[in-house]
Amino acid sequence: MDTNLAEKISTPEAVWKGVQEILKSNLNPRSYNTWFAPTEAISMDEQSIEISVPNRFFCEWIDNHYSKVVHNAITQILGYAIKIKYRVKNDTVPGTPYEATDWQKSSASEPNGSAIQQKGIESPYYTRINERYIFDNFIVGDSNHFAYAAARAVADSPGRTNYNPLIVYGGTGLGKTHLIQAIGNHALKKYPGLKVFYTSSDTFTSHFINSIQTNKVAEFSAFYRSCDILLLDDIHFFSNKGKTQEEFFHTFNDLHQNGKQIILTSDRPINELVALEERLISRFKWGLIVDVQPPDFETRLAILRKKCDESELAIPGDILEYLAINLKDNVRELEGALTKIMAQVTFTAAEPTIDMARSIVAEIAKPDRSMLSIDNIMEYTAKVFNLPIDQLRAKTRKKDVVKARQVAMYLTKSLTHHSLVTIGLHFGGRDHSTVIHAIENVEKALRGDPAFKHQLDAMKKHLEYNR
Ligand code: ADP
Ligand code: MG
C-alpha cells in the first residue's frame, strides 16, 4: 500500500476504500465479498466514521468477527484510531447507529487528557493531536536522540527555551510527526489549559484560502495567534505558496513576540526549501534545527518490540528481526509490515511465519525485489549443490542436477518477478510447463522433508540478505 496514503486521504469514501483494500488482502474472498463488499462510508469526523451496511445483522456480525481487523485497517490508513459506527442502509426508522467495539479504549493506554483539552478549542480550525504519539512510546536511538532531547526540553518549558522555533527535519516516516505531537501531549499534561494546536501546513494553507473565500481572514488570524503552542507539520508544503507564507510570517512573528512556542517539521533541511521566502528562513534560524535520521538495526527492532508489547501480540523474535533487517529506511513501512502480520494472525488465527513476513516485505520493497538476478540465484544454487553452473542449463537429467535445477527455478519464482516463460528461457530454453513442474516438485518435497525445508529457508535468507 502507498505509505503516504494517510496524508492524501481526507474523505470518508477514500478512507473506507483504503480499509476495504486492506481487508480484501487479509480476508478470504468469500468473507470479504459477503461482509465488506456491500458496505459504504457515510460520513466521518475527527472521532468517528459511519458506515452503511445492508441490515442489522451485519452490524453485529462484523463487530463480533471482524472488529479488530477493521480497527487495525483504519488505524493503518489514518495513522490513528477512530470509532466505527454502523448504520443500516435506507433504514426506515433511522436511529442511533451501532457502535463498534472500541479497540482504542479496550487496548490502548489510558488517555492522557489531551483530547479534553483539544475539545476546549472551539474552532472550525480544530485538528486533533493523536494521543498515542507520546514520548513514552518513542524509541530513542543514535538516529534521533538529539531531536528527542530538544523536543523534551521544549515540552517541559514551552516558549521558555532558546529553541523557538524548534524545527525537526528528516525523511518521510522517520517519526517527525510523532515527536512533535508528543511535545503537545506532554505539555498539555503538564500545563492543563494550554492551547496546543497541531495542523499540517497543507491544512493551514487550505484554512487560509478558505478564510479568504469566506471573508474570514480575521478569524483565521485570531485563531492561529491564540495558540500557546503551534505545531505545524510539513512546512515543505509551503513552497511556492507566497500568500500563505506571508500570512504565516505574520502569525509567526506574533506568536514569537508573545513568547509562544512554535514547532515545525520539514522533510528537507531548511536552506534547501528553495521556494521559501528568505525572511521566513532567516526567522527559522532564530531557533533550533534538529534532524532525524533513519534508525539503525537495534532501534528498528526496539520499535517493533514496543509495538508488539502495546498490542499484546506475541510475534516470534526471528520474524521481528527479519522485518528489521529488510525494512531499513522508513519506520512507517516497518510498522505497516507488522500491522499486516498482526491483521493476518488476528484474522486467520494462523501462527505468524517467516513466509508471511517475507511476502509482506517483498510487497513493500518491490523495486528492490527485481534486483536479485536469475544469474545470482543460479550461481548460488550451483555452489550450494556443488555443481558447475552450466549444468543448470544443460540437458542432463542426472538426479542431483535435476534437483539443483528445480530448486533454482523455485527460488527464482519466489524471489523475483520473472514470469515462468522467462525463467524457462534462462534455464536452457525450457518450456514454462517444466518450470511449473519443478515448482510443484519442490513444494511437494518441502511438505514432506523438514530438513530440506530448513535448507531452502536458509538459501532464501542468504539470497535476500546478500542481494
Ligand atoms: P514522519 O512524520 O517523519 O513522516 P511519523 O511521525 O508519521 O513520521 O512516523 C511514522 C510512524 O512510525 C508512526 O506511526 C510513528 O509512531 C512511528 N515511529 C517513527 N519513529 C519512531 C520511533 N523512534 N519510535 C517509535 N515509533 C516511531
Ligand atoms: Mg509527518
Side-chain angles (χ1 to χ4, degrees), residues 181-255:
Q181 295 210 4
I183 298 176
N185 279 317
H186 182 88
L188 274 170
K189 203 168 170 186
K190 193 163 174 189
Y191 310 101
L194 215 61
K195 281 192 184 162
V196 177
F197 188 70
Y198 165 87
T199 193
S200 80
S201 305
D202 223 13
T203 313
F204 181 93
T205 307
S206 64
H207 283 164
F208 178 56
I209 292 169
N210 210 5
S211 77
I212 297 175
Q213 287 163 349
T214 54
N215 249 334
K216 288 192 170 147
V217 178
E219 278 95 328
F220 170 85
S221 307
F223 173 76
Y224 275 94
R225 284 163 209 213
S226 73
C227 301
D228 297 308
I229 300 182
L230 176 62
L231 305 157
L232 197 58
D233 213 351
D234 296 325
I235 53 165
H236 44 270
F237 286 134
F238 276 164
S239 294
N240 293 319
K241 291 178 186 135
K243 276 209 108 174
T244 311
Q245 286 188 31
E246 166 102 38
E247 177 63 31
F248 178 65
F249 178 76
H250 295 303
T251 309
F252 181 99
N253 282 344
D254 218 79
L255 290 172

Coordinates of all heavy atoms in Angstrom, one line a residue, residues 181-255:
Q181 N 4.0 15.8 18.1 CA 2.7 15.6 18.8 C 3.0 15.2 20.2 O 2.2 15.5 21.1 CB 1.9 14.6 18.0 CG 1.4 15.1 16.7 CD 0.1 14.6 16.2 OE1 -0.6 13.9 17.0 NE2 -0.3 14.9 15.0
A182 N 4.1 14.5 20.4 CA 4.5 14.1 21.8 C 4.7 15.4 22.6 O 4.4 15.4 23.8 CB 5.7 13.2 21.8
I183 N 5.3 16.3 22.0 CA 5.6 17.6 22.7 C 4.2 18.2 23.1 O 4.0 18.6 24.3 CB 6.3 18.7 21.8 CG1 7.6 18.2 21.4 CG2 6.3 20.0 22.5 CD1 8.4 19.1 20.4
G184 N 3.3 18.2 22.2 CA 1.9 18.7 22.5 C 1.3 17.9 23.6 O 0.8 18.5 24.6
N185 N 1.3 16.6 23.6 CA 0.7 15.8 24.6 C 1.3 16.0 25.9 O 0.6 16.1 27.0 CB 0.7 14.3 24.2 CG -0.4 13.9 23.2 OD1 -1.5 14.4 23.4 ND2 -0.1 13.2 22.2
H186 N 2.6 16.1 26.0 CA 3.4 16.2 27.2 C 3.0 17.6 27.8 O 2.7 17.7 29.0 CB 4.8 16.1 26.9 CG 5.7 16.2 28.2 ND1 6.0 15.1 29.0 CD2 6.3 17.3 28.8 CE1 6.7 15.5 30.0 NE2 6.9 16.8 29.9
A187 N 3.1 18.6 27.0 CA 2.8 20.0 27.5 C 1.4 20.1 28.1 O 1.2 20.7 29.1 CB 3.1 21.0 26.4
L188 N 0.5 19.5 27.4 CA -0.9 19.5 27.8 C -1.1 18.9 29.2 O -1.9 19.3 30.0 CB -1.8 18.8 26.8 CG -2.3 19.7 25.7 CD1 -3.0 18.9 24.6 CD2 -3.3 20.8 26.2
K189 N -0.4 17.8 29.4 CA -0.5 17.1 30.6 C 0.2 17.9 31.7 O -0.4 18.0 32.8 CB 0.3 15.7 30.5 CG -0.2 14.7 31.4 CD 0.4 13.4 31.0 CE 0.2 12.3 32.1 NZ 0.9 11.1 31.7
K190 N 1.3 18.5 31.4 CA 2.0 19.3 32.4 C 1.3 20.6 32.7 O 1.3 21.1 33.9 CB 3.4 19.5 31.9 CG 4.3 20.0 33.0 CD 5.8 19.8 32.7 CE 6.6 20.5 33.8 NZ 8.0 20.6 33.4
Y191 N 0.8 21.2 31.7 CA 0.1 22.5 31.9 C -1.3 22.5 31.3 O -1.6 23.0 30.2 CB 0.9 23.6 31.1 CG 2.4 23.7 31.4 CD1 3.3 23.1 30.5 CD2 2.9 24.3 32.6 CE1 4.7 23.2 30.8 CE2 4.2 24.3 32.8 CZ 5.1 23.8 31.9 OH 6.4 23.8 32.2
P192 N -2.2 21.8 32.0 CA -3.6 21.7 31.5 C -4.1 23.1 31.2 O -3.8 24.1 32.0 CB -4.3 21.1 32.6 CG -3.3 20.4 33.5 CD -2.1 21.3 33.4
G193 N -4.9 23.2 30.2 CA -5.4 24.5 29.8 C -4.6 25.3 28.8 O -5.1 26.2 28.2
L194 N -3.4 24.8 28.5 CA -2.6 25.4 27.5 C -3.3 25.2 26.1 O -3.9 24.1 25.9 CB -1.3 24.7 27.5 CG 0.0 25.5 27.1 CD1 0.2 26.6 28.1 CD2 1.2 24.5 27.2
K195 N -3.2 26.2 25.3 CA -3.8 26.0 24.0 C -2.8 25.4 23.0 O -1.9 26.1 22.5 CB -4.4 27.3 23.4 CG -5.7 27.7 24.0 CD -6.3 28.8 23.2 CE -7.6 29.2 23.9 NZ -8.0 30.6 23.4
V196 N -2.9 24.1 22.8 CA -2.0 23.5 21.9 C -2.7 23.1 20.6 O -3.8 22.6 20.6 CB -1.5 22.1 22.5 CG1 -0.5 21.4 21.6 CG2 -0.8 22.4 23.9
F197 N -2.1 23.5 19.5 CA -2.8 23.3 18.3 C -1.8 22.7 17.3 O -0.7 23.2 17.0 CB -3.3 24.6 17.7 CG -4.2 24.4 16.5 CD1 -5.4 23.8 16.7 CD2 -3.7 24.8 15.3 CE1 -6.2 23.6 15.6 CE2 -4.5 24.6 14.2 CZ -5.8 24.0 14.3
Y198 N -2.3 21.5 16.7 CA -1.5 20.9 15.7 C -2.2 20.9 14.3 O -3.4 20.7 14.3 CB -1.3 19.4 16.1 CG -0.8 18.5 14.9 CD1 0.6 18.4 14.7 CD2 -1.7 17.9 14.0 CE1 1.0 17.7 13.6 CE2 -1.2 17.2 13.0 CZ 0.1 17.1 12.7 OH 0.6 16.4 11.7
T199 N -1.4 21.2 13.3 CA -2.0 21.1 12.0 C -0.9 20.9 10.9 O 0.3 21.2 11.2 CB -2.9 22.3 11.6 OG1 -3.6 22.0 10.4 CG2 -2.1 23.5 11.3
S200 N -1.2 20.4 9.8 CA -0.2 20.3 8.8 C -0.2 21.6 8.0 O -1.2 22.3 7.9 CB -0.5 19.1 7.8 OG -1.5 19.5 6.9
S201 N 0.9 21.8 7.3 CA 1.0 23.1 6.6 C 0.0 23.1 5.4 O -0.5 24.1 5.0 CB 2.4 23.3 6.1 OG 3.3 23.2 7.1
D202 N -0.3 21.9 5.0 CA -1.3 21.8 3.9 C -2.7 22.2 4.4 O -3.4 23.0 3.7 CB -1.4 20.3 3.6 CG -1.5 20.0 2.1 OD1 -1.2 21.0 1.4 OD2 -1.8 18.9 1.7
T203 N -3.0 21.8 5.6 CA -4.3 22.2 6.2 C -4.3 23.7 6.5 O -5.3 24.4 6.3 CB -4.6 21.4 7.4 OG1 -4.3 20.0 7.1 CG2 -6.0 21.5 7.9
F204 N -3.2 24.2 7.0 CA -3.0 25.6 7.3 C -3.3 26.4 6.0 O -4.1 27.3 6.0 CB -1.6 25.9 7.8 CG -1.3 27.3 8.1 CD1 -1.5 27.8 9.4 CD2 -0.9 28.2 7.1 CE1 -1.2 29.1 9.7 CE2 -0.6 29.6 7.4 CZ -0.8 30.0 8.7
T205 N -2.8 25.9 4.9 CA -3.0 26.6 3.6 C -4.4 26.6 3.2 O -5.0 27.6 2.8 CB -2.1 25.9 2.5 OG1 -0.8 25.9 3.0 CG2 -2.2 26.7 1.2
S206 N -5.1 25.4 3.3 CA -6.5 25.4 2.9 C -7.4 26.1 3.8 O -8.3 26.8 3.4 CB -6.9 23.9 2.6 OG -6.9 23.2 3.8
H207 N -7.1 26.1 5.1 CA -7.8 27.0 6.0 C -7.7 28.5 5.6 O -8.6 29.2 5.6 CB -7.3 26.9 7.5 CG -7.7 25.6 8.2 ND1 -7.1 25.2 9.3 CD2 -8.7 24.8 7.9 CE1 -7.7 24.1 9.7 NE2 -8.6 23.8 8.9
F208 N -6.5 28.8 5.2 CA -6.2 30.2 4.9 C -7.0 30.6 3.6 O -7.7 31.6 3.6 CB -4.7 30.4 4.7 CG -4.3 31.8 4.3 CD1 -4.7 32.9 5.0 CD2 -3.6 32.0 3.1 CE1 -4.4 34.2 4.7 CE2 -3.3 33.3 2.7 CZ -3.7 34.4 3.5
I209 N -6.9 29.7 2.6 CA -7.6 30.0 1.4 C -9.1 30.1 1.6 O -9.8 31.0 1.1 CB -7.2 28.9 0.3 CG1 -5.8 29.1 -0.1 CG2 -8.1 29.1 -0.9 CD1 -5.2 27.9 -0.9
N210 N -9.6 29.2 2.4 CA -11.0 29.1 2.7 C -11.4 30.4 3.4 O -12.5 31.0 3.2 CB -11.2 27.9 3.6 CG -12.6 27.4 3.5 OD1 -13.3 27.8 2.6 ND2 -12.9 26.4 4.3
S211 N -10.5 30.9 4.3 CA -10.9 32.1 5.1 C -10.9 33.3 4.1 O -11.7 34.2 4.4 CB -9.9 32.3 6.2 OG -8.7 32.8 5.8
I212 N -10.1 33.3 3.1 CA -10.2 34.4 2.1 C -11.5 34.3 1.4 O -12.2 35.3 1.3 CB -9.0 34.3 1.1 CG1 -7.7 34.5 1.9 CG2 -9.2 35.4 0.0 CD1 -6.5 34.3 1.0
Q213 N -11.8 33.1 1.0 CA -13.1 33.0 0.2 C -14.3 33.3 1.0 O -15.3 33.8 0.4 CB -13.2 31.5 -0.4 CG -12.2 31.3 -1.5 CD -12.0 29.8 -1.7 OE1 -12.4 28.9 -0.9 NE2 -11.3 29.4 -2.8
T214 N -14.3 33.0 2.3 CA -15.5 33.3 3.1 C -15.4 34.6 3.9 O -16.2 34.8 4.8 CB -15.7 32.1 4.0 OG1 -14.5 31.9 4.8 CG2 -16.1 30.8 3.3
N215 N -14.4 35.4 3.5 CA -14.2 36.7 4.2 C -14.0 36.5 5.7 O -14.5 37.3 6.5 CB -15.5 37.5 4.0 CG -15.2 38.7 3.1 OD1 -14.1 39.1 3.1 ND2 -16.3 39.1 2.4
K216 N -13.2 35.5 6.1 CA -13.0 35.3 7.5 C -11.5 35.3 7.9 O -11.1 34.6 8.8 CB -13.6 34.0 7.9 CG -15.2 34.1 7.9 CD -15.8 32.9 8.6 CE -17.3 33.1 8.8 NZ -18.1 31.9 8.7
V217 N -10.8 36.1 7.1 CA -9.3 36.1 7.4 C -9.0 36.5 8.8 O -8.1 36.0 9.5 CB -8.6 37.0 6.4 CG1 -7.1 37.0 6.7 CG2 -8.8 36.5 5.0
A218 N -9.8 37.5 9.3 CA -9.6 38.0 10.7 C -9.7 36.8 11.7 O -8.9 36.7 12.6 CB -10.6 39.1 11.0
E219 N -10.8 36.0 11.5 CA -11.0 34.9 12.4 C -9.8 33.9 12.4 O -9.4 33.4 13.4 CB -12.3 34.1 12.1 CG -13.5 34.8 12.7 CD -14.2 35.7 11.7 OE1 -13.5 36.3 10.8 OE2 -15.5 35.8 11.7
F220 N -9.5 33.7 11.1 CA -8.4 32.8 10.9 C -7.1 33.2 11.6 O -6.5 32.5 12.4 CB -8.1 32.7 9.4 CG -6.8 31.9 9.0 CD1 -6.8 30.5 8.9 CD2 -5.6 32.6 8.8 CE1 -5.7 29.9 8.6 CE2 -4.5 31.9 8.5 CZ -4.5 30.6 8.4
S221 N -6.7 34.5 11.4 CA -5.5 35.0 12.1 C -5.7 34.9 13.6 O -4.8 34.6 14.3 CB -5.3 36.4 11.7 OG -5.3 36.6 10.4
A222 N -6.8 35.4 14.1 CA -7.1 35.4 15.5 C -6.9 34.0 16.1 O -6.3 33.8 17.1 CB -8.4 35.9 15.8
F223 N -7.4 33.0 15.4 CA -7.3 31.7 15.9 C -5.9 31.2 16.0 O -5.4 30.8 17.1 CB -8.1 30.7 15.1 CG -7.8 29.3 15.5 CD1 -8.4 28.8 16.7 CD2 -6.9 28.5 14.9 CE1 -8.1 27.5 17.2 CE2 -6.6 27.2 15.3 CZ -7.3 26.7 16.5
Y224 N -5.2 31.4 15.0 CA -3.8 30.9 15.0 C -2.9 31.7 16.0 O -2.0 31.2 16.6 CB -3.2 30.9 13.6 CG -3.5 29.6 12.8 CD1 -4.6 29.6 12.0 CD2 -2.8 28.5 13.0 CE1 -4.9 28.4 11.3 CE2 -3.1 27.3 12.4 CZ -4.2 27.3 11.5 OH -4.5 26.1 10.9
R225 N -3.3 32.9 16.2 CA -2.5 33.7 17.1 C -2.8 33.5 18.5 O -2.2 34.0 19.4 CB -2.6 35.2 16.7 CG -1.7 35.5 15.5 CD -2.1 36.8 14.8 NE -1.8 36.6 13.4 CZ -1.3 37.6 12.6 NH1 -1.2 38.8 13.1 NH2 -1.1 37.4 11.4
S226 N -3.9 32.7 18.7 CA -4.3 32.5 20.1 C -3.7 31.2 20.7 O -3.9 30.9 21.8 CB -5.9 32.3 20.2 OG -6.2 31.0 19.6
C227 N -2.8 30.6 19.9 CA -2.2 29.3 20.4 C -1.1 29.6 21.4 O -0.4 30.6 21.2 CB -1.6 28.5 19.2 SG -2.8 28.1 18.0
D228 N -0.9 28.7 22.3 CA 0.3 28.8 23.2 C 1.4 28.0 22.5 O 2.6 28.3 22.7 CB 0.0 28.2 24.6 CG -1.1 29.1 25.3 OD1 -0.9 30.3 25.3 OD2 -2.1 28.5 25.7
I229 N 1.0 26.9 21.9 CA 1.9 26.1 21.2 C 1.4 25.8 19.8 O 0.3 25.2 19.7 CB 2.2 24.7 21.9 CG1 2.8 24.9 23.3 CG2 3.2 23.9 21.1 CD1 3.1 23.6 24.1
L230 N 2.1 26.2 18.8 CA 1.6 25.9 17.5 C 2.5 24.8 16.9 O 3.8 25.0 16.8 CB 1.6 27.1 16.6 CG 1.2 26.9 15.1 CD1 -0.2 26.4 15.0 CD2 1.4 28.2 14.3
L231 N 1.9 23.7 16.5 CA 2.7 22.6 15.9 C 2.3 22.6 14.4 O 1.2 22.3 14.1 CB 2.3 21.2 16.5 CG 2.4 21.2 18.1 CD1 1.5 20.1 18.6 CD2 3.9 20.9 18.4
L232 N 3.2 22.9 13.6 CA 2.9 23.0 12.2 C 3.8 22.0 11.4 O 5.0 22.1 11.4 CB 3.2 24.4 11.7 CG 2.6 24.8 10.4 CD1 1.1 24.7 10.4 CD2 3.0 26.3 10.1
D233 N 3.1 21.0 10.9 CA 3.8 19.8 10.3 C 4.0 20.1 8.8 O 3.2 20.6 8.1 CB 2.9 18.6 10.5 CG 3.7 17.3 10.7 OD1 4.9 17.4 10.6 OD2 3.1 16.3 11.1
D234 N 5.2 19.6 8.3 CA 5.5 19.5 6.9 C 5.5 20.9 6.2 O 4.7 21.1 5.3 CB 4.4 18.6 6.2 CG 4.6 17.1 6.7 OD1 5.7 16.7 7.0 OD2 3.5 16.4 6.8
I235 N 6.3 21.7 6.7 CA 6.3 23.1 6.1 C 6.9 23.1 4.7 O 6.8 24.1 4.0 CB 7.1 24.1 6.9 CG1 8.5 23.6 7.2 CG2 6.4 24.5 8.2 CD1 9.4 24.7 7.7
H236 N 7.4 22.0 4.2 CA 7.8 22.0 2.8 C 6.6 22.2 1.9 O 6.8 22.6 0.7 CB 8.5 20.7 2.4 CG 7.9 19.4 2.9 ND1 8.2 18.9 4.2 CD2 6.9 18.7 2.5 CE1 7.4 17.9 4.4 NE2 6.7 17.7 3.4
F237 N 5.4 22.0 2.4 CA 4.2 22.2 1.6 C 4.0 23.7 1.3 O 3.2 24.1 0.5 CB 2.9 21.7 2.3 CG 2.8 20.2 2.2 CD1 2.4 19.5 3.4 CD2 2.9 19.5 1.0 CE1 2.3 18.2 3.3 CE2 2.8 18.2 1.0 CZ 2.4 17.5 2.1
F238 N 4.7 24.5 2.1 CA 4.6 26.0 1.9 C 5.3 26.5 0.6 O 5.1 27.6 0.2 CB 5.2 26.8 3.1 CG 4.2 26.9 4.2 CD1 4.7 27.3 5.5 CD2 2.9 26.7 4.0 CE1 3.8 27.4 6.5 CE2 2.0 26.9 5.1 CZ 2.5 27.2 6.4
S239 N 6.2 25.6 0.1 CA 6.9 26.1 -1.1 C 6.0 26.6 -2.1 O 5.0 26.0 -2.4 CB 7.7 24.9 -1.7 OG 8.7 24.5 -0.7
N240 N 6.4 27.7 -2.7 CA 5.6 28.3 -3.8 C 4.2 28.8 -3.4 O 3.4 29.1 -4.3 CB 5.5 27.3 -5.0 CG 6.8 27.1 -5.6 OD1 7.6 28.0 -5.8 ND2 7.0 25.8 -6.0
K241 N 3.9 28.9 -2.2 CA 2.6 29.4 -1.8 C 2.8 30.8 -1.1 O 2.8 30.9 0.1 CB 1.9 28.5 -0.9 CG 1.5 27.2 -1.6 CD 0.8 26.2 -0.7 CE 0.5 24.9 -1.5 NZ 0.9 23.7 -0.7
G242 N 3.1 31.8 -2.0 CA 3.5 33.1 -1.5 C 2.6 33.7 -0.5 O 3.0 34.1 0.6
K243 N 1.3 33.7 -0.7 CA 0.4 34.4 0.2 C 0.3 33.7 1.5 O 0.2 34.3 2.6 CB -1.0 34.5 -0.5 CG -1.2 35.7 -1.4 CD -2.6 36.2 -1.5 CE -2.7 37.5 -0.7 NZ -4.0 38.1 -0.8
T244 N 0.3 32.4 1.4 CA 0.2 31.6 2.7 C 1.5 31.9 3.5 O 1.4 32.1 4.7 CB 0.1 30.1 2.4 OG1 -1.0 30.0 1.4 CG2 -0.3 29.4 3.6
Q245 N 2.6 31.9 2.8 CA 3.9 32.2 3.5 C 3.8 33.5 4.2 O 4.3 33.7 5.3 CB 5.0 32.1 2.5 CG 5.4 30.7 2.1 CD 6.7 30.7 1.3 OE1 7.6 31.5 1.5 NE2 6.8 29.8 0.4
E246 N 3.3 34.5 3.5 CA 3.2 35.8 4.0 C 2.3 35.8 5.3 O 2.7 36.3 6.4 CB 2.5 36.7 3.0 CG 2.0 38.0 3.4 CD 2.9 39.1 3.0 OE1 3.4 39.0 1.9 OE2 3.1 40.1 3.8
E247 N 1.2 35.2 5.2 CA 0.3 35.1 6.4 C 1.0 34.4 7.5 O 1.0 34.8 8.7 CB -1.0 34.3 6.0 CG -2.0 34.1 7.2 CD -2.5 35.4 7.8 OE1 -2.6 36.3 7.0 OE2 -2.8 35.4 9.0
F248 N 1.7 33.3 7.2 CA 2.4 32.5 8.2 C 3.5 33.4 8.9 O 3.7 33.4 10.1 CB 3.0 31.2 7.7 CG 3.7 30.5 8.7 CD1 3.0 30.0 9.9 CD2 5.1 30.3 8.7 CE1 3.7 29.3 10.9 CE2 5.8 29.6 9.7 CZ 5.1 29.1 10.8
F249 N 4.2 34.2 8.1 CA 5.2 35.0 8.6 C 4.7 36.0 9.7 O 5.3 36.1 10.7 CB 5.8 35.8 7.4 CG 6.8 36.8 7.8 CD1 8.1 36.4 8.0 CD2 6.6 38.2 7.8 CE1 9.1 37.3 8.4 CE2 7.6 39.1 8.2 CZ 8.9 38.6 8.5
H250 N 3.5 36.5 9.4 CA 3.0 37.4 10.4 C 2.5 36.7 11.7 O 2.8 37.1 12.8 CB 1.8 38.2 9.8 CG 2.2 39.1 8.7 ND1 3.2 40.1 8.9 CD2 1.9 39.2 7.4 CE1 3.4 40.8 7.8 NE2 2.7 40.2 6.9
T251 N 1.9 35.5 11.4 CA 1.5 34.7 12.6 C 2.7 34.3 13.4 O 2.7 34.4 14.6 CB 0.8 33.4 12.1 OG1 -0.2 33.7 11.2 CG2 0.2 32.6 13.3
F252 N 3.7 33.9 12.7 CA 5.0 33.5 13.3 C 5.5 34.6 14.2 O 5.8 34.4 15.4 CB 6.0 33.1 12.3 CG 7.3 32.6 12.8 CD1 7.6 31.3 12.9 CD2 8.3 33.5 13.2 CE1 8.8 30.8 13.4 CE2 9.5 33.1 13.7 CZ 9.7 31.7 13.8
N253 N 5.7 35.8 13.6 CA 6.2 36.9 14.4 C 5.4 37.2 15.6 O 5.9 37.5 16.7 CB 6.2 38.2 13.5 CG 7.4 38.2 12.6 OD1 8.3 37.4 12.7 ND2 7.4 39.0 11.5
D254 N 4.1 37.2 15.4 CA 3.2 37.5 16.5 C 3.4 36.5 17.7 O 3.5 36.9 18.9 CB 1.8 37.4 16.0 CG 0.9 38.4 16.6 OD1 1.0 39.6 16.1 OD2 0.2 38.1 17.5
L255 N 3.3 35.2 17.4 CA 3.5 34.2 18.4 C 4.9 34.3 19.1 O 5.0 34.3 20.3 CB 3.3 32.8 17.8 CG 1.9 32.4 17.3 CD1 2.0 31.1 16.5 CD2 1.0 32.3 18.5

